[in-house]
Amino acid sequence: MTYTRYGEFLRILRVKYHEVMGDTAKVLNVKVPFVSAVESGKKNVPEEWVPKLIEHYKLNAQEQNELREAIEESKTQMKINLFSATEPKRRLAIQFQRSFEDLDDETAKAIIKLLNKEED
Amino acid sequence: MDYLTKPASRNDLRYCAKFFRSICHFTADEPIDPVVLLDQLRDLDGFSDVNYEIVEDSILPGNVPAQCIMSEENYLIQIKESVYIGAYEKKIGGHRMHIMHEIMHVFADKLGFSPILTRQLTDETPCFRRLEWIVKVLAGEVMMPYEATQNMSVSDIMNVYGVSKSAAETRLKY
């Protein structure tokens, strides 16, 4: 186990502000094992934590961006809303979910390139 | 679980404890809060591979307050929620010592006190060859510096260094 980028970001903030994980749990109004599980990447960062952390640590614009990037990079699960998806899109999402674990890096890069084609 | 390791005297370990304090930039006699140290560890020279997590009590066996899992890549200190809260909120000496004990497992390993897995412990194995004894002594020496506590009473040691009565009594015995 290693810390996620989010976990490392929070750890550095705590050291800077002379706090410990128990203090973070109080700020977020949750139990310490939950804070710990999120920081080690076992659970996603709940969205409602972001404004609380920004306010408590008085994060400036750059730090807020760093926090959001760290959260994005530390995600261990992602949800795709299929509510209004067309049939081909729905099939693509399901196929992607099925194939994800077996996907090699080369194929992943090729798919990213394909999806980014219009942006290029 | 205890393991055989290379020998060390209490005096050797006393020097090791001083060395640890210097790595952490603590003075020779200031009290250390192990809960605070958990977050600071990764910034210390040689300790960037140390992670910790607080787990629900049911995750670890009943008689295990905390543990240190070592792998080739890093160290993971796991602490029961009740132990962490006891150390953090209630400042319970025994709980604070449990946390320092696990930090000392990391330090002892880095000093070369690794388990000798090819040889079993027996009833005749002296304490100075037992890894758990070495780690226990290191934790006590780091929490209660020898020179600073020599002329203190048990209650003074408890109050100043935040340790249990039995730890303070052991400190004065040796």
Side-chain angles (χ1 to χ4, degrees):
Chain A
M1 181 214 113
T2 52
Y3 286 125
T4 59
R5 193 172 149 199
Y6 166 79
E8 186 62 4
F9 186 85
L10 256 284
R11 184 191 71 80
I12 291 167
L13 275 180
R14 283 199 293 268
V15 172
K16 185 178 168 187
Y17 286 94
H18 307 287
E19 289 188 351
V20 297
M21 200 182 276
D23 299 319
T24 308
K26 280 182 182 168
V27 168
L28 300 170
N29 199 25
V30 292
K31 294 179 86 180
V32 183
F34 187 60
V35 171
S36 185
V38 171
E39 291 191 11
S40 61
K42 289 176 183 162
K43 292 191 164 94
N44 276 345
V45 184
E47 197 52 44
E48 64 268 23
W49 285 13
V50 177
K52 289 180 183 175
L53 292 170
I54 289 172
E55 190 192 338
H56 179 73
Y57 293 112
K58 305 200 175 5
L59 301 181
N60 61 31
Q62 191 191 329
E63 289 167 330
Q64 289 179 30
N65 278 340
E66 282 174 31
L67 171 65
R68 290 200 172 93
E69 279 176 21
I71 290 172
E72 201 58 35
E73 204 178 284
S74 308
K75 274 186 177 165
T76 53
Q77 290 180 339
M78 287 185 164
K79 284 182 186 170
I80 300 177
N81 188 351
L82 298 176
F83 183 70
S84 56
T86 59
E87 186 54 28
K89 278 184 168 180
R90 187 178 285 266
R91 276 169 48 202
L92 171 69
I94 293 168
Q95 185 59 49
F96 185 72
Q97 184 200 27
R98 282 182 187 150
S99 310
F100 183 76
E101 276 191 25
D102 299 326
L103 210 62
D104 60 70
D105 288 353
E106 282 305 307
T107 313
K109 282 176 192 168
I111 294 172
I112 291 170
K113 201 174 171 187
L114 185 71
L115 293 173
N116 288 338
K117 218 170 184 179
E118 274 186 32
E119 290 173 23
D120 297 341
Chain B
M1 187 106 170
D2 203 356
Y3 295 97
L4 191 74
T5 191
K6 67 178 182 180
S9 68
R10 186 176 286 274
N11 213 32
D12 294 336
L13 298 172
R14 211 157 262 164
Y15 281 110
C16 293
K18 283 183 184 173
F19 176 49
F20 182 77
R21 278 184 163 263
S22 71
I23 293 172
C24 300
H25 312 293
F26 289 119
T27 62
D29 58 357
E30 73 179 289
I32 297 178
D33 186 344
V35 175
V36 173
L37 190 56
L38 281 172
D39 268 329
Q40 295 173 336
L41 271 179
R42 284 171 67 87
D43 295 328
L44 304 176
D45 285 344
F47 286 83
S48 61
D49 52 358
V50 186
N51 305 306
Y52 79 95
E53 64 179 7
I54 313 304
V55 296
E56 297 203 3
D57 284 11
S58 59
I59 299 291
L60 297 181
N63 60 345
V64 178
Q67 65 181 12
C68 180
I69 301 169
M70 299 174 200
S71 69
E72 280 182 17
E73 295 88 35
N74 53 35
Y75 300 85
L76 172 61
I77 296 172
Q78 287 184 314
I79 302 160
K80 271 184 178 169
E81 180 186 14
S82 59
V83 173
Y84 182 86
I85 295 296
Y88 160 63
E89 276 184 348
K90 301 169 191 163
K91 311 286 178 200
I92 297 171
H95 291 190
R96 285 159 51 87
M97 192 63 90
H98 284 317
I99 295 174
M100 184 56 84
H101 184 97
E102 299 312 320
I103 294 171
M104 286 303 107
H105 264 293
V106 175
F107 183 51
D109 193 65
K110 287 179 182 291
L111 290 174
F113 293 105
S114 309
I116 300 171
L117 300 169
T118 50
R119 289 182 61 192
Q120 297 248 318
L121 282 180
T122 66
D123 290 345
E124 282 75 45
T125 306
C127 62
F128 59 83
R129 296 293 314 268
R130 291 172 182 266
L131 183 57
E132 281 302 320
W133 181 84
I134 283 168
V135 169
K136 191 176 172 186
V137 171
L138 274 174
E141 295 289 339
V142 167
M143 289 291 280
M144 303 168 282
Y146 178 69
E147 279 87 358
T149 52
Q150 259 179 323
N151 298 315
M152 290 172 80
S153 66
V154 167
S155 61
D156 281 350
I157 294 174
M158 288 170 68
N159 291 334
V160 173
Y161 292 103
V163 295
S164 66
K165 189 179 179 197
S166 67
E169 285 171 347
T170 305
R171 154 75 295 178
L172 293 179
K173 216 189 283 181
Y174 298 101

